[in-house]
Amino acid sequence: MAALPPREFAAQVLPGCVVPTARQGLAQLWPLLLLCLGARLLHRLQPPIPRGLSRGAPLTPAAPPRCGSAAAGGKHAGAAAGGLLALHHFFGAQALWVALLSGLCALTLLLSRARAQRGLCLALAALSYLLMGELHMVDTVTWHKMRGAQMVVAMKAVSLGFDLDRGAGGGPGGEPSPAQVLGYLCSPGSVVFGPWEPFGAYLRAVEGPPLSAAWARKGLRSLGLALLCLLVSTCLAPFLFSCLLPLYGARALRRWLRAYESALSFHFSNYFVAFLSEATATLAGSGASLHHDNLRWDLAVSRPLRVELPRSMADVVTNWNLPMSRWLHTYVFQTARRLGTFAAVLGTYAASALLHGLSFHLAAVLLSLGLITYVEHVLRKRLAAIFDACVLSKRCPPGCAHRHKDALWVRGLNGALGAVALFHLSYLGALFDVEADDAVEEQGYGMSYTIRKWSELNWASHWVTLGCWVLARLLR
């Protein structure tokens, strides 16, 4: 497409992309939003004051309140029914596969009550089901469409199993009822787009925090940001360097700018899902916390600015999806840490790859991320020790022992390392090509596609990672 002046570009994109995209998005989403709002009103049928809440505590305690009454059971059944209706709206009859996974997880939890490794049993059951479904039971295109919902249900089930192993009860006698489990797994606020939430957060939502203007503002704000990110991903980012900023210069530079363009479009599609999941979860009553006796609706799923202007790749991974990052750290990394930090890091990214499905390009991206973040962590740790400066992957707390905290050269070094992280992001995002064929995108990018795209960029990110690892070894 030829380069266009901004006014002409806006005149073409507004009626041709922005308006139809926004209209289609709202047409698809309004039934889900109504179901979430209906669940919220259902949760308010009983007294709204959460029980067992201490001053200053979040509304997601390790030991959730007990909701064993018949009325509460009706709330959980209503939540499960609302979630199944939401799944049917988006996936039609194929929603049965998500419902079967939920039923399998609930049955596995019931049969493993006498065991001490319920988390492991649920992890094996969910993983086996996901692998069997992708390899044998459902065609690839259909399964990929349901991948997000399947992943959220599996994450909820595994976290519930491990929490119960650690003594966090959920109902009368310390065990969650089947209605509670199914309501949690199929809650309409998170079953389609996420986010993952712990069992305690779901039970607090069932308790029904009071309706307020702050709750409505949070839901509307997140929905507005979701639609904005959808428009950027669909109508702006794909044409960034073809219409708004025409490309000149060396072929290699144009290739890297195209890679950044693809990465940017993919990033904003992720932010769309993140903000949409914030909106649906908030409308359903999740995501509130108590600060100095004030109830705040402050659920955050993603922080786009920390991804697009990164301090480090570790910061990118954490802020890309905050609830999933928390889940991986709590239930995978901490469990595997006894095997060593490197093994725990790779195991965490391998678990993420399995949850995302048997897709070669996703596995390649996630495992590459694991290597990049580990090498970056080691290198920055060496530099922090040598220069006695705050240049670690994560920001140092205010009272850290480093001598140099905010000097100009420290900022420059962090900026240079952040630029390297942006380079890695462009390289990894090049796989999500906005110009790829729709059929290829639906079925998943194969090995040949992944190798071809990274070969066009001369495997630069992997070579830089190798160089950083060698440098870290020399600085020992």
Side-chain angles (χ1 to χ4, degrees), residues 183-199:
Y184 170 54
L185 297 180
C186 298
S187 172
S190 57
V191 72
V192 179
F193 296 102
W196 168 80
E197 60 180 356
F199 188 52

Side-chain angles (χ1 to χ4, degrees), residues 84-365:
L84 292 177
L85 287 174
L87 289 169
H88 185 269
H89 170 69
F90 282 93
F91 307 121
Q94 302 300 330
L96 175 64
W97 297 108
V98 185
L100 286 176
L101 175 59
S102 303
L104 173 65
C105 291
L107 180 61
T108 302
L109 182 63
L110 181 65
L111 296 178
S112 61
R113 282 191 173 186
R115 297 181 178 272
Q117 298 292 334
R118 283 173 287 189
L120 182 60
C121 291
L122 281 164
L124 292 175
L127 181 60
S128 300
Y129 180 88
L130 293 177
L131 292 177
M132 287 293 295
E134 187 156 4
L135 293 174
H136 299 292
M137 295 189 297
V138 187
D139 64 276
T140 303
V141 174
T142 300
W143 191 262
H144 283 191
K145 291 178 180 178
M146 299 183 294
R147 181 188 294 162
Q150 303 272 26
M151 180 172 62
V152 172
V153 171
M155 290 170 63
K156 287 182 178 181
V158 171
S159 65
L160 176 58
F162 278 106
D163 286 344
L164 290 173
D165 290 339
R166 296 166 184 172
E175 292 289 337
S177 67
Q180 286 178 319
V181 174
L182 290 175
Y184 170 54
L185 297 180
C186 298
S187 172
S190 57
V191 72
V192 179
F193 296 102
W196 168 80
E197 60 180 356
F199 188 52
Y202 164 74
L203 291 184
R204 291 296 182 187
V206 170
E207 287 289 322
L211 300 173
S212 64
W215 163 74
R217 283 197 303 269
K218 171 62 177 177
L220 291 174
R221 177 181 179 274
S222 296
L223 179 60
L225 289 173
L227 292 175
L228 177 62
C229 292
L230 175 64
L231 296 177
V232 172
S233 175
T234 306
C235 303
L236 179 60
F239 310 109
L240 182 62
F241 294 116
S242 58
C243 291
L244 294 180
L245 301 172
L247 298 179
Y248 302 101
R251 181 180 179 185
L253 176 61
R254 294 199 302 270
R255 188 171 291 166
W256 275 99
L257 290 176
R258 292 288 189 193
Y260 177 75
E261 184 181 75
S262 297
L264 193 66
S265 180
F266 172 67
H267 291 178
F268 273 88
S269 68
N270 173 73
Y271 304 147
F272 161 67
V273 175
F275 284 120
L276 180 58
S277 65
E278 278 185 18
T280 56
T282 299
L283 288 178
S286 296
S289 58
L290 199 66
H291 298 271
H292 305 292
D293 294 333
N294 294 320
L295 193 67
R296 294 184 182 177
W297 296 91
D298 53 4
L299 175 64
V301 176
S302 183
R303 297 191 182 111
L305 285 179
R306 295 194 181 182
V307 176
E308 300 305 321
L309 300 173
R311 172 188 176 88
S312 64
M313 286 302 292
D315 215 26
V316 169
V317 170
T318 300
N319 291 288
W320 180 260
N321 189 315
L322 293 164
M324 187 168 191
S325 176
R326 177 185 170 192
W327 184 89
L328 289 169
H329 183 268
T330 303
Y331 302 104
V332 181
F333 181 81
Q334 294 292 350
T335 303
R337 198 166 190 175
R338 61 178 179 269
L339 302 176
T341 303
F342 181 69
V345 169
L346 286 187
T348 301
Y349 284 96
S352 179
L354 288 174
L355 281 173
H356 281 87
L358 297 180
S359 172
F360 181 85
H361 86 290
L362 280 176
V365 168

Side-chain angles (χ1 to χ4, degrees), residues 1-64:
M1 185 179 294
L4 298 173
R7 287 186 179 180
E8 188 175 346
F9 176 75
Q12 291 188 12
V13 169
L14 185 63
C17 184
V18 172
V19 173
T21 299
R23 184 184 294 121
Q24 184 179 6
L26 288 173
Q28 285 287 322
L29 294 176
W30 73 262
L32 174 61
L33 300 175
L34 285 182
L35 286 170
C36 293
L37 185 59
R40 179 83 165 98
L41 297 176
L42 177 65
H43 295 166
R44 290 291 299 159
L45 292 179
Q46 282 191 340
I49 304 300
R51 292 169 284 176
L53 182 64
S54 60
R55 179 176 295 184
L59 294 180
T60 56

Side-chain angles (χ1 to χ4, degrees), residues 375 379 420 423-424 459-470:
V375 170
L379 176 61
V420 174
F423 159 79
H424 288 306
W459 301 89
S461 181
H462 290 90
W463 284 113
V464 169
T465 302
L466 177 61
C468 290
W469 179 79
V470 171

